[in-house]
Amino acid sequence: MLLLAMLLPVAGAGATAREPGRDDRRVVAAERAVERQDWAVAAERYVQVARRSRDATVAERATRVAFATSQWQATVAAGRRWLEITPDAESAHTL
């Protein structure tokens, strides 16, 4: 149940007031991989977006998907990015 809750889509992940761009398409691709339970691809796509984005929500989602699916290298990469964006985020330090 906890795993399922961690994998629920984040409302507005990657959403901005601009037209959909490459990062938005990658978020959609990552979510589709989650739906297919293709964990390695989901984690990889989310990490790619997190590295390019200043959106802490995307970095958090990348970290949680990678962690919940035992994609350890992706967890470390996404977690580091999350902390770069929001160094004071308590949840980033406790995950």
Side-chain angles (χ1 to χ4, degrees):
M1 186 70 154
L2 178 61
L3 174 65
L4 186 58
M6 291 178 74
L7 295 178
L8 291 174
V10 174
T16 63
R18 62 178 170 66
E19 302 237 350
R22 178 182 287 175
D23 288 346
D24 297 321
R25 289 190 298 271
R26 286 186 176 151
V27 168
V28 170
E31 284 301 320
R32 286 186 179 148
V34 168
E35 290 171 6
R36 292 190 314 270
Q37 298 181 1
D38 190 347
W39 310 126
V41 169
E44 177 184 332
R45 297 247 168 96
Y46 261 118
V47 169
Q48 288 173 352
V49 177
R51 284 183 175 141
R52 299 169 44 100
S53 177
R54 294 285 311 155
D55 187 341
T57 304
V58 172
E60 177 182 2
R61 178 77 173 145
T63 305
R64 292 186 182 281
V65 167
F67 180 80
T69 61
S70 302
Q71 303 297 316
W72 306 124
Q73 289 181 334
T75 300
V76 170
R80 285 182 178 156
R81 182 64 179 144
W82 186 11
L83 287 170
E84 286 174 7
I85 297 168
T86 53
D88 296 330
E90 185 177 323
S91 55
H93 289 278
T94 59
L95 183 66

